Amino acid sequence: MQSLNKMTVEDLDVKGKKVLVRCDFNVPLKDGVITDDKRIRESLRTINYLKDHGARVILCSHLGRPKGEVKPEFSLAPVAAKLSELLGQNVAIAADVIGADAQAKAAALKDGEVMLLENLRFHKEEEKNDEMFAKALASLADIYVNDAFGTAHRAHASTAGVNAFLPSACGYLIQKEIEVMGKALNDPKRPFVAILGGAKVSDKIGVINNLIDKVDKLIIGGGMAYTFMVAKGYTVGTSLVEPDRVEDAKAMMKKAADKGIEFLIPVDNYVGDKFDENCECQLVDEGKIPDGWMGLDIGPKTVELFSNALKGAGTVVWNGPMGVFEWKRFAAGTEAIAKAVAESGAISIIGGGDSAAAVEKLGFADKMSHISTGGGASLEFLEGLELPGIAAISDKK
Ligand code: AMP
């Protein structure tokens, strides 16, 4: 396990210093308009701390996939405008990332002022973690702060390269991620229950294998549950199954049994005659999925089984929906589990990506202790992997 005892912004003397902050401003845009500014609002705490303490703040981020070329549709200009509005002060955007305009604007910053560099991925060197590019980025500033958890699992110049040239610390977002998820993995309040769902077993094998040594109960729902049903010897119609993962599923269930961990999979399912929101639908018990039908959500007996398992939990980690929650007809299972997690009174940690989207869409976001700001990054964290963007931040002395 990597060290999580990292320097934070509060450990730094930032007055009069130029601070390069890696943010996650990868926001959804439609015709140049930001359709959800959540990621920008989430970054304000770190930015406000720095500017209130007299730092000269240089923000940077990627946006979309411009693939190393300057493409105006991926400009961060709309983000600079939104930041200006939210901070109540002008946030200038540089015309480039490490070029003459970025350098001039950075050099002219006064204490408490904030600027934004252009999209880091306008340079192919960013994703290659090119040393010269990282050095050029670092040369704009005196200190580096990483607050982009969503890209912390990537070793890019702005996430893992600049640290070689500057003193570094994490911002509040990364600080909270490593505190909350680190505690869950290393010293959880028990009973510790993990709920895993979503489409694929293959995406979550690493997480299951890591958590199986730490949890008291493991709950499996969503599309990935059908591979476990096949491993138990059931037929599952046309449900999502990964045949090459059946042996892994068997091994996980055996390991759980050997360790005395409760391992729960669905005992009933809503099945459809095709993968379509308006399909014919019926409720069937475990082992009774008819030929030609596919499981699309967990049923009421499963909701009861899973909800009971959550009662009295000390810590819950949840990653992946219980069914095709994007379709209202098949969102009930995910919604019921969100409610059970919220009502369990446990420290509740929701993985980023689809799980976070589901909890937000279903209105339970404010009932959870922590919703991770990174999908892939939170999965890798829960797998126990070292995240390059976190490993590169200086440890506390
Ligand atoms: P993941 O990104 O692996 O967490 O998977 C999330 C996706 O899994 C969502 O888009 C869900 O619609 C999908 N999903 C959940 N349950 C099922 C299911 N029973 N069959 C097919 N897809 C599912």
Side-chain angles (χ1 to χ4, degrees):
M1 186 77 194
Q2 63 188 317
S3 158
L4 299 178
N5 191 24
K6 297 292 170 184
M7 293 282 282
T8 74
V9 282
E10 293 180 16
D11 297 319
L12 302 168
D13 177 11
V14 296
K15 172 111 186 75
K17 302 270 176 55
K18 280 179 280 172
V19 183
L20 178 70
V21 190
R22 177 50 158 106
C23 297
D24 180 1
F25 293 144
N26 188 28
V27 290
L29 282 172
K30 194 165 190 300
D31 304 325
V33 177
I34 297 167
T35 53
D36 183 355
D37 64 2
K38 187 166 160 284
R39 288 188 169 157
I40 304 176
R41 282 183 285 105
E42 284 172 340
S43 69
L44 294 178
R45 186 164 170 222
T46 297
I47 300 170
N48 277 322
Y49 175 89
L50 291 169
K51 78 183 187 65
D52 292 349
H53 286 77
R56 305 171 181 200
V57 185
I58 305 165
L59 306 172
C60 63
S61 175
H62 76 282
L63 174 63
R65 296 198 170 129
K67 303 205 170 125
E69 285 171 36
V70 177
K71 293 190 181 152
E73 65 271 31
F74 292 106
S75 168
L76 280 164
V79 174
K82 179 53 82 176
L83 276 165
S84 304
E85 182 191 317
L86 294 171
L87 290 170
Q89 71 185 70
N90 183 45
V91 175
I93 176 137
D96 47 34
V97 184
I98 50 169
D101 194 53
Q103 289 172 29
K105 283 197 168 67
L109 278 177
K110 297 195 180 62
D111 294 1
E113 287 186 348
V114 182
M115 67 172 283
L116 175 62
L117 302 178
E118 248 310 353
N119 191 339
L120 291 159
R121 291 193 189 165
F122 282 176
H123 287 259
K124 59 181 181 322
E125 294 86 349
E126 158 66 357
E127 288 184 81
K128 291 188 174 150
N129 193 6
D130 177 85
E131 191 180 346
M132 294 313 288
F133 180 71
K135 197 169 182 181
L137 261 182
S139 73
L140 298 170
D142 308 303
I143 295 172
Y144 165 73
V145 168
N146 190 356
D147 212 17
F149 184 70
T151 47
H153 58 317
R154 305 275 181 237
H156 294 167
S158 70
T159 62
V162 281
N163 313 52
F165 308 102
L166 293 175
S168 59
C170 60
Y172 287 110
L173 286 175
I174 288 197
Q175 189 187 345
K176 187 173 177 222
E177 298 278 2
I178 60 184
E179 262 173 28
V180 178
M181 291 203 285
K183 170 116 177 87
L185 293 183
N186 298 321
D187 179 26
K189 186 167 176 230
R190 294 191 181 273
F192 180 12
V193 186
I195 314 170
L196 296 170
K200 289 195 187 155
V201 182
S202 46
D203 288 347
K204 305 210 171 137
I205 277 186
V207 180
I208 300 177
N209 279 333
N210 189 38
L211 290 181
I212 214 161
D213 288 323
K214 302 175 189 292
V215 296
D216 301 295
K217 298 178 193 182
L218 198 53
I219 296 175
I220 306 278
M224 64 189 275
Y226 302 97
T227 300
F228 287 88
M229 289 181 204
V230 171
K232 278 182 91 175
Y234 296 132
T235 53
V236 295
T238 49
S239 304
L240 205 61
V241 170
E242 288 170 272
D244 54 340
R245 295 299 180 189
V246 172
E247 287 308 313
D248 288 317
K250 279 185 190 161
M252 287 177 221
M253 290 194 288
K254 178 166 183 328
K255 188 169 179 187
D258 290 348
K259 290 177 81 89
I261 293 167
E262 228 179 294
F263 193 101
L264 303 175
I265 67 170
V267 291
D268 61 347
N269 286 93
Y270 284 106
V271 296
D273 63 344
K274 51 180 179 282
F275 191 72
D276 187 319
E277 187 167 12
N278 300 312
C279 59
E280 287 293 315
C281 172
Q282 56 173 315
L283 176 64
V284 295
D285 277 335
E286 184 174 43
K288 300 267 170 58
I289 302 179
D291 278 353
W293 291 69
M294 60 174 68
L296 296 171
D297 196 9
I298 55 174
K301 285 187 203 159
T302 304
V303 165
E304 201 186 335
L305 176 75
F306 290 1
S307 302
N308 283 336
L310 286 163
K311 279 189 189 133
T315 306
V316 178
V317 168
W318 181 11
N319 194 305
M322 296 290 101
V324 186
F325 77 98
E326 296 93 336
W327 298 338
K328 209 167 180 312
R329 281 178 84 197
F330 300 101
T334 302
E335 185 163 4
I337 296 310
K339 190 162 175 280
V341 173
E343 287 172 355
S344 70
I347 297 160
S348 47
I349 301 168
I350 313 299
D354 271 319
S355 331
V359 163
E360 271 152 26
K361 187 166 177 230
L362 301 169
F364 288 95
D366 59 345
K367 307 264 185 336
M368 304 300 174
S369 317
H370 180 65
I371 299 182
S372 177
T373 53
S378 69
L379 265 185
E380 290 198 15
F381 194 99
L382 295 173
E383 275 184 73
L385 299 177
E386 178 172 281
L387 275 54
I390 290 175
I393 298 167
S394 305
D395 287 331
K396 268 193 210 269
K397 292 181 187 86

